[in-house]
Amino acid sequence: MKLGDFRRLSYAAVAAAALLTPPAAQAEAAAAQAEAAAKTLKIGVVYDLTGPFAGGGSELHYLGAKIIIDWFNQQGGIDGYKVEPIYADAQSKPDVAINEAVRLIEQEKVDMLLGFYSSAECVPAAARVEQFKKFMWITTCIASPVLEGRNLEYVFRPQPYGRQWGLTSTEMVAAYSKAQLGKDPKDLKVAIIHEDGAYGTDVAKGTAEGATEAGFQVVVNEGYSASAPDLSSLVTKLKRGQPDVIFHTGYNPDITLFLRQARELGLKFSTLIGHGAGYGVYSKLKETIGADANYFFNVDPISIWQTNPKSLKPELSAIINEVGEAYLKAKPGTVIKSAHVGMAASNTYAFLTDILPRAITKYGGATSDDLRKAALDTDLPDGSTMLGFGIKFAPPGAPMAGQNERAYPVVVQYVDDQSYVVWPKAQQQREPVLKLPASSPYAAK
């Protein structure tokens, strides 16, 4: 089924009826058409289109959201409402993200906010949007502090949350440590390094928690500024600690800087596991470090192009294909389609096909309160989204109110310009290879 066959609105029917009815009825039909045309949901869409976060994945999230919004508008809208996106560039700066959110609300008079890539931007922006009592649909930023303990009423996140990234990666390493690295988990040396913003800090907490549960020896656990011009001191500490496995959470260009200096200074290890952001943009890794990215891991929600079609609602496979075609048209030469585009596409699609229609038909409109009530009603089982998982939000008063309780990340491995899901076993396309090949400049002997 083509995207264009999925949803139809009443505009064409109103126009056709006008041709077949008396003048009075035609006038009524014209009035109805004008009223329908006047119903517009103005969405402020905020991503980082410039600065380091753009190359770390934010610009790809913008693309995924835009593909879906454009498609819905090509069909005429949703249940009588046209979606009017107003795009803003957060410039990879938290203060700009907040200012842009306020500008969109106060000057552009948007009805809601969608997007937000960086957790460092999302934590304060969510609080500011909540003050305006505007509905906020987060397609990306994953840090737990965005929602944890804040009981926000109008902020909802269909994504998994940060600590799940670290828990997932450590769980995989513990499962394969003995068989592939020849060491019991208690004898395994690991390092946890991360950018020191809300995103990296939260993922690192999950990694540290998972490492403790597995019994790993944590030889380094250190944060750094994503804009740091030099990471050689961190590399030196890692060389002294001699970790078998490095768990890294970063954006870009800090990832590129770390890997370049690690190679120059002779850092050796067996396994490198990245946690989303820059590690989710394979084309960028390939561009900057070439074949050195071979056998690296990344943790993220599953790429929509790797979900099992048999596990999804039937109509989603065709939509996934068309999103992929639009992606490659916008980014020709892409080797591996980034999960970032699919994440934003899936989360935007879920809002426009589930929350918004329910707000309109059940609660009478698209105000912040209508959208909030519709979101709290959402109860989508696994297989209902392009990402494979379902959606059910933690209710008001819960520790993570507004968080999708059915979301989870997976681990993928890049092998010879291909991406494979390697964990959890329920989604596994092939088993992980924890030990870097001897040809890698980082491979431990």
Side-chain angles (χ1 to χ4, degrees):
M1 178 176 61
K2 302 293 285 182
L3 275 175
D5 298 329
F6 187 72
R7 182 178 290 271
R8 291 290 184 268
L9 298 178
S10 60
Y11 302 121
V14 171
L19 295 174
L20 300 174
T21 53
Q26 289 184 22
E28 290 180 6
Q33 188 175 20
E35 181 183 358
K39 292 180 179 179
T40 299
L41 178 70
K42 294 182 71 173
I43 300 181
V45 183
V46 183
Y47 289 107
D48 306 283
L49 305 181
T50 56
F53 297 158
S58 187
E59 191 266 340
L60 292 174
H61 274 269
Y62 154 80
L63 176 60
K66 187 176 186 301
I67 287 171
I68 292 298
I69 292 171
D70 286 350
W71 174 76
F72 275 102
N73 279 333
Q74 288 166 7
Q75 313 313 308
I78 298 154
D79 290 337
Y81 276 75
K82 179 183 178 182
V83 175
E84 181 182 341
I86 301 176
Y87 295 98
D89 179 10
Q91 301 177 29
S92 303
K93 300 174 182 177
D95 58 335
V96 174
I98 297 168
N99 291 338
E100 284 297 278
V102 173
R103 180 185 67 82
L104 289 167
I105 293 170
E106 291 188 332
Q107 298 180 26
E108 300 291 348
K109 307 299 182 183
V110 298
D111 299 300
M112 61 168 286
L113 280 299
L114 178 145
F116 295 93
Y117 178 73
S118 163
S119 296
E121 299 166 356
C122 221
V123 172
R128 195 74 178 95
V129 174
E130 179 81 2
Q131 288 177 342
F132 284 98
K133 295 188 176 181
K134 288 293 182 181
F135 187 84
M136 182 176 181
W137 185 255
I138 298 172
T139 62
T140 312
C141 56
I142 64 170
S144 302
V146 174
L147 296 173
E148 191 169 30
R150 305 176 83 182
N151 203 30
L152 302 178
E153 293 186 74
Y154 296 96
V155 181
F156 292 84
R157 178 171 59 190
Q159 285 283 80
Y161 59 91
R163 288 198 297 276
Q164 290 177 284
W165 265 246
L167 292 169
T168 298
S169 60
T170 51
E171 183 182 51
M172 181 196 73
V173 170
Y176 287 95
S177 174
K178 181 66 174 178
Q180 295 205 19
L181 298 178
K183 295 184 178 182
D184 289 326
K186 65 181 177 60
D187 298 320
L188 199 70
K189 293 182 179 181
V190 305
I192 303 168
I193 60 174
H194 61 93
E195 65 86 26
D196 60 8
Y199 154 66
T201 301
D202 192 48
V203 173
K205 285 181 180 179
T207 310
E209 182 181 337
T212 298
E213 290 179 0
F216 299 153
Q217 298 177 32
V218 180
V219 294
V220 175
N221 185 351
E222 186 166 321
Y224 62 86
S225 170
S227 59
D230 182 13
L231 294 175
S232 58
S233 62
L234 175 60
V235 174
T236 300
K237 289 180 182 179
L238 291 169
K239 286 187 69 176
R240 287 200 299 264
Q242 297 183 315
D244 301 295
V245 180
I246 297 176
F247 298 96
H248 187 192
T249 308
Y251 289 108
N252 224 319
D254 59 305
I255 290 174
T256 299
L257 176 63
F258 166 71
L259 292 171
R260 177 174 60 79
Q261 293 190 318
R263 180 171 181 168
E264 290 171 352
L265 296 173
L267 176 63
K268 305 294 182 181
F269 46 84
S270 294
T271 309
L272 177 67
I273 302 179
H275 295 99
Y279 283 104
V281 189
Y282 180 77
S283 59
K284 188 69 173 178
L285 290 174
K286 184 77 173 179
E287 174 189 326
T288 54
I289 64 171
D292 292 357
N294 209 20
Y295 286 90
F296 285 0
F297 292 90
N298 178 49
V299 185
D300 253 330
I302 195 169
S303 166
I304 63 174
W305 297 284
Q306 290 181 302
T307 49
N308 182 354
K310 295 180 180 178
S311 70
L312 301 178
K313 284 187 174 181
E315 66 268 17
L316 293 178
S317 293
I319 296 168
I320 288 170
N321 289 337
E322 293 203 28
V323 172
E325 290 174 6
Y327 178 3
L328 294 179
K329 185 176 180 180
K331 301 286 184 180
T334 296
V335 179
I336 296 176
K337 292 191 287 291
S338 172
H340 287 307
V341 173
M343 273 183 260
S346 178
N347 293 331
T348 302
Y349 182 85
F351 172 76
L352 293 175
T353 56
D354 184 77
I355 284 80
L356 180 56
R358 183 182 305 108
I360 295 167
T361 58
K362 183 175 180 180
Y363 295 108
T367 67
S368 292
D369 285 313
D370 295 332
L371 294 171
R372 174 182 180 271
K373 288 183 282 189
L376 290 172
D377 286 348
T378 296
D379 190 1
L380 298 177
D382 283 353
S384 299
T385 70
M386 291 184 242
L387 294 169
F389 49 69
I391 300 178
K392 181 68 176 177
F393 292 109
M400 292 281 283
Q403 171 64 40
N404 179 14
E405 298 179 314
R406 293 177 181 166
Y408 56 86
V410 301
V411 184
V412 301
Q413 187 170 29
Y414 301 124
V415 181
D416 299 332
D417 290 339
Q418 298 293 321
S419 174
Y420 300 94
V421 179
V422 295
W423 190 262
K425 288 189 175 182
Q427 298 277 3
Q428 198 173 68
Q429 295 175 316
R430 60 183 287 173
E431 286 203 335
V433 178
L434 261 60
K435 200 165 188 178
L436 288 170
S439 58
S440 172
Y442 307 107
K445 294 182 180 179

